[in-house]
Amino acid sequence: ADSRAYREFKWDEKDTLHGVQDLELSNYLNKQGYLHAYLESYFVTHGPSGTDQQKKDYPEYFERRILEKQNINTVSHWDQVYQDEGENDPNFRNDLMSWKKVVDNLGNNGKLLDMGCGSGYLLQFIEKERPELDLYGVDLSAEGIKTASNRTKANLNAGNTNKLPYKDSEFDYLVSTEVLEHISDIKETIKETHRVLKLGGRFVHITPYKDYIPSPEHVREYDESSISLFSEFSNVKTEVLTHPEFYRTNLLGEKESCKLLVITGVKNA
């Protein structure tokens, strides 16, 4: 796949790449300095840094493109993740920065739902920091719920974020950490967030900022413009956090801190 072939690709969300063509294109982009990944679920490229003249000559090289084939975040996928993880996760769940930011947005009383609670680390932390809160957790994976039940006293259920197994206006708080990026139909999840929150209820979502924490499980990215998705809520705000411990390598081969996006808002109607 040379530059001419690449320029002729029709890039939109409905495109599909196949077989050796993917590999050839992947190799070509790698040689050109693109940060990219060819994954089971989707193919993603990020245009390299370049001069203004290069960007003018080859504008399509410097645009971000995602071609999604399928979302790998299925029940069976996450059941396997939590089975492999067991009681201890050596990776990214011990994220005190995110947990503290969630707790900073909570009062001392009320009913809270951790949406996408996984194996219960966040609930365990909130339980210690806000012991008067009535805690609930829901996750796609029954294996995750099983592990969480050994970590927290919260009320736990297996369920889908697009059809939460709770009544209307049931919670004072709905929180999630590194969940939104896994959800394809985010508009339905946001509707459910609105439905289960009480009037005056607050949501706190923390998700990777743009592509600063790349993963084959991530199917969406968020930045400050994502505030528009939460138009049903009032006082919606965003904040970018720089992680003190996790890093990625950028297009120039430089190490840079990973970043997270905090999105908060209130249900007033």
Side-chain angles (χ1 to χ4, degrees):
D2 61 16
S3 60
R4 292 186 301 276
Y6 176 53
R7 289 171 64 89
E8 291 172 1
F9 275 101
K10 304 296 184 183
W11 294 89
D12 62 53
E13 292 183 354
K14 302 301 181 184
D15 283 343
T16 303
L17 301 176
H18 296 287
V20 68
Q21 186 180 66
D22 284 342
L23 182 59
E24 290 174 352
L25 180 59
S26 176
N27 289 337
Y28 169 73
L29 294 175
N30 188 51
K31 291 177 182 178
Q32 299 301 312
Y34 279 71
L35 175 67
H36 71 280
Y38 174 49
L39 307 163
E40 179 183 352
S41 56
Y42 56 83
F43 183 95
V44 58
T45 69
H46 300 264
S49 59
T51 65
D52 290 339
Q53 186 60 47
Q54 286 174 322
K55 292 181 180 180
K56 182 178 180 181
D57 292 341
Y58 303 101
E60 66 271 44
Y61 286 3
F62 297 91
E63 295 175 1
R64 187 174 183 290
R65 304 168 176 88
I66 294 180
L67 288 83
E68 184 179 332
K69 295 179 181 178
Q70 62 180 0
N71 188 336
I72 67 171
N73 294 285
T74 61
V75 172
S76 60
H77 172 78
W78 282 103
D79 278 349
Q80 188 63 55
V81 168
Y82 292 120
Q83 285 175 8
D84 294 342
E85 176 185 308
E87 292 298 320
N88 297 295
D89 178 7
N91 298 312
F92 296 110
R93 303 200 195 285
N94 186 26
D95 192 347
L96 284 172
M97 182 181 70
S98 294
W99 302 346
K100 289 177 179 178
K101 179 57 66 172
V102 168
V103 168
D104 286 347
N105 282 275
L106 304 178
N108 292 315
N109 297 286
K111 195 172 182 178
L112 176 146
L113 175 64
D114 181 3
M115 184 186 74
C117 65
S119 48
Y121 284 97
L122 175 59
L123 285 168
Q124 182 184 44
F125 184 77
I126 296 173
E127 209 165 48
K128 294 177 181 178
E129 298 295 316
R130 296 288 188 271
E132 299 303 316
L133 285 175
D134 186 12
L135 300 181
Y136 287 71
V138 63
D139 197 88
L140 184 69
S141 168
E143 287 294 326
I145 293 297
K146 179 181 176 181
T147 303
S149 67
N150 296 322
R151 183 168 285 126
T152 173
K153 297 177 182 178
N155 297 280
L156 303 171
N157 285 292
N160 195 300
T161 62
N162 290 348
K163 194 174 182 180
L164 295 170
Y166 303 103
K167 297 181 294 184
D168 295 356
S169 305
E170 187 167 348
F171 295 99
D172 300 282
Y173 302 100
L174 185 146
V175 303
S176 75
T177 56
E178 299 191 46
V179 172
L180 300 189
E181 67 274 14
H182 299 278
I183 301 170
S184 294
D185 193 358
I186 192 61
K187 291 183 179 179
E188 284 302 312
T189 295
I190 293 171
K191 286 181 181 178
E192 282 293 274
T193 298
H194 189 274
R195 181 183 67 79
V196 301
L197 276 174
K198 299 176 182 178
L199 280 177
R202 173 180 292 273
F203 73 81
V204 184
H205 293 305
I206 300 181
T207 184
Y209 181 63
K210 297 183 178 179
D211 65 338
Y212 273 79
I213 306 179
S215 167
E217 296 163 348
H218 295 178
V219 297
R220 294 186 65 93
E221 292 176 1
Y222 297 86
D223 59 21
E224 293 87 347
S225 68
S226 302
I227 201 169
S228 62
L229 293 168
F230 297 87
S231 58
E232 289 186 88
F233 296 87
S234 63
N235 200 31
V236 180
K237 299 178 181 178
T238 61
E239 178 185 358
V240 178
L241 304 178
T242 299
H243 206 290
E245 298 179 14
F246 302 142
Y247 300 88
R248 72 166 189 173
T249 302
N250 67 18
L251 294 166
L252 302 178
E254 301 166 335
K255 189 167 78 169
E256 59 185 9
S257 296
C258 291
K259 296 182 180 181
L260 295 165
L261 182 70
V262 184
I263 311 173
T264 60
V266 177
K267 176 181 174 178
N268 278 338

